[in-house]
Amino acid sequence: MLNEEKLKSVMGGVLGIAAASIGPTTSTDTVKAWDSLKHMQLVIAIEETFGIVIPDEEVATLTSYPLLKMVVEEQLAKR
Amino acid sequence: MTSSPHLHGLDRLEARFRSSSPLFRGVIARNRTVLGPDWCRSLDETVTRLFPGDEELAAAVDGYARFALDVVRRTMKFEQELVYPARSYADVAREVYGDDEYMRTRYLPGLLLSHELWPHHHRQRLFFEEAFVAEMRRAGDDPFYDVGVGTGFYSRVALALAPSLRGIGFDVSPASKRYAEWHVAAFGAGDRYRVELRDVVADSPPPARWVVCVEVLEHLEDPVAFLRGLRRLLAPGGKAFVTAAINAPNADHIYLYRSPGEVRDQIVAAGFDVEQYLGALAGPPSRPGVPVAEVAAFVLTGVG
């Protein structure tokens, strides 16, 4: 089961935004600092925090909070 | 505020990044400012010639995004561990060069766009044009060899700048052969160029006056043995353009160069003299003290 608050905390820390502001509309369109470098820092931080591996072929597509949440849930379910 | 020209191909590429790979949405605008109008025109021509349809362009951008994110991930790991993962050439040949789908959809489009989009790669290309191709043009019609063609980018650059030049590329990957020949043909030089599937160290063609070898050394277990083979390819009085990637982890990088001096020492040990040199960093370090990816490019003559 995904702990959403933990995911938001990781995102907020990497992207430099308040975790409480993260929601369904949070994406690369709404967070200016979310570039390729921040993205990979975010992916690695999520992998380490949740003990999962995000598949390479999906990494480039995870450009919003809902998409990240979905893939984390999928990978947690596979454990 | 930029003064770069309005170019349809470049605009299409920028729009495609915004719509399908927003993580890289800023790369075109940044390069318009940093690299200027000549860079804009060059990339515009690449997009227009190679990716005239939206579907082709989308596939190239997707390949680049996955390639570049893979490089970022590997770079972060490298900054922690300061070594490349231990792998043999046979492993890489099987996992990368022998994987036709990976080569076609990710590696080759990614590598091609990295030549255009990464500022240190662009500076290396300018050095090639000014320090090597210009002399090839002045010298006449002797053909050049391009050893390890990859995408065919450097062959294409030479052939486009020198309309009477002919070239032969060599590579061990059938996917690279197809891609390089397609790439060169799209720039109207297909009748002056071909790629042979050949290991030039084990099976040498006759020596040539001009030899190009861009970012091959770091893909090998024993670059010195390869450089000695490259030296044998160079005809008396000829020149070679040889480059290597430094501190630059990638899916197929095996040999870790930590400085341009290490490349230079191997080049000299293999029987070359260095005539000109360019080093270009990918950017500032991500934090103090960590290594930065770099390209080192050399114009060489043969000793003796």
Side-chain angles (χ1 to χ4, degrees), chain B residues 42-56:
Chain B
S42 170
L43 181 54
D44 180 72
E45 184 177 14
T46 296
V47 172
T48 302
R49 285 185 182 271
L50 296 183
F51 313 119
D54 288 343
E55 197 173 324
E56 297 151 318

Side-chain angles (χ1 to χ4, degrees), chain A residues 28 31-32 34-37 39-41 43-44 47 54 56-57 59-60 63, chain B residues 18 20-25 62 65-66 69-70 72-74 76-77 106 286:
Chain A
T28 53
V31 181
K32 195 176 177 184
W34 193 344
D35 62 7
S36 56
L37 183 60
H39 185 70
M40 200 43 82
Q41 289 172 346
V43 166
I44 290 170
E47 288 179 339
I54 296 176
D56 281 349
E57 60 271 21
V59 167
T63 53
Chain B
R18 274 200 304 270
S20 63
S21 291
L23 296 167
F24 298 93
R25 61 192 178 281
D62 180 61
R66 290 185 292 144
L69 285 173
D70 183 60
V72 173
R73 187 198 276 268
R74 290 173 189 275
M76 289 176 171
K77 192 171 183 204
R106 187 197 300 201
S286 62

Side-chain angles (χ1 to χ4, degrees), chain B residues 74-281:
Chain B
R74 290 173 189 275
T75 298
M76 289 176 171
K77 192 171 183 204
F78 175 67
E79 288 176 352
Q80 299 290 328
E81 300 177 356
L82 302 178
V83 293
Y84 295 166
R87 276 176 309 167
S88 69
Y89 180 80
D91 291 338
V92 171
R94 186 180 58 254
E95 293 166 10
V96 180
Y97 312 134
D99 184 340
D100 197 70
E101 171 78 4
Y102 177 83
M103 289 289 285
R104 187 173 53 78
T105 63
R106 187 197 300 201
Y107 182 91
L108 292 168
L111 188 61
L112 173 67
L113 284 176
S114 81
H115 280 303
E116 302 272 13
L117 294 174
W118 295 0
H120 60 309
H121 280 192
H122 180 67
R123 293 186 178 106
Q124 177 173 277
R125 174 249 185 92
L126 295 179
F127 179 62
F128 175 66
E129 292 178 356
E130 292 164 8
F132 199 78
V133 179
E135 189 169 346
M136 279 202 289
R137 287 186 67 175
R138 286 194 296 273
D141 297 336
D142 289 325
F144 71 91
Y145 289 165
D146 185 354
V147 180
V149 292
T151 65
F153 184 81
Y154 277 76
S155 289
R156 177 263 277 188
V157 167
L159 292 161
L161 286 173
S164 63
L165 194 65
R166 290 170 293 119
I168 301 172
F170 300 100
D171 209 292
V172 296
S173 162
S176 278
K177 171 179 161 63
R178 285 193 299 274
Y179 200 90
E181 288 181 336
W182 161 77
H183 182 177
V184 167
F187 275 76
D191 58 340
R192 295 184 280 129
Y193 186 71
R194 71 175 191 278
V195 177
E196 296 182 7
L197 288 174
R198 185 195 287 223
D199 174 347
V200 297
V201 173
D203 177 21
S204 296
R209 182 170 181 186
W210 308 105
V211 175
V212 176
C213 182
V214 173
E215 294 190 13
V216 173
L217 301 180
E218 66 274 12
H219 299 240
L220 306 170
E221 293 174 23
D222 185 355
V224 177
F226 174 81
L227 282 163
R228 290 199 175 104
L230 212 59
R231 173 67 187 88
R232 289 193 294 274
L233 276 188
L234 193 63
K239 288 191 179 181
F241 183 84
V242 176
T243 82
I246 319 290
N247 294 319
N250 205 332
D252 57 345
H253 289 185
I254 296 170
Y255 192 97
L256 171 56
Y257 289 107
R258 297 184 188 276
S259 74
E262 291 180 18
V263 188
R264 185 191 184 103
D265 289 347
Q266 291 186 350
I267 282 170
V268 171
F272 290 103
D273 272 334
V274 175
E275 184 183 272
Q276 295 187 61
Y277 160 71
L278 170 87
L281 291 161

